[in-house]
Amino acid sequence: QNDNTNVPQHYAPDPKLRQWMADQRSAYKSKKMKMDKIMLLDSIGFWKQSERLIEYKDKHNTDILHR
């Protein structure tokens, strides 16, 4: 709706959404999030471009992830 993933502090339609989003960002920043979840959130525009995905592409010279 607003072309971003910022949620107001008091979002009536889903009061727990803001905390869930904060939890996702925290897991990502602390490198506790698995690559498949990073890519899933990236695919829906959760973050404009994930830094870890960019690093992976640069390091491995590919868009294909290997686990």
Side-chain angles (χ1 to χ4, degrees), residues 36-52:
D36 58 336
K37 189 165 185 179
I38 293 170
M39 291 184 62
L40 179 64
L41 291 171
D42 191 51
S43 74
I44 63 168
F46 188 79
W47 24 66
K48 293 297 180 187
Q49 181 97 18
S50 66
E51 293 174 9
R52 284 176 59 186

Side-chain angles (χ1 to χ4, degrees), residues 10-42:
H10 302 287
Y11 183 61
D14 190 347
K16 295 180 181 180
L17 179 61
R18 183 178 173 93
Q19 184 59 50
W20 179 86
M21 294 180 76
D23 292 345
Q24 303 313 301
R25 289 187 175 106
S26 176
Y28 171 75
K29 288 178 183 178
S30 64
K31 301 191 185 289
K32 293 181 180 176
M33 184 177 285
K34 293 182 178 181
M35 186 60 79
D36 58 336
K37 189 165 185 179
I38 293 170
M39 291 184 62
L40 179 64
L41 291 171
D42 191 51

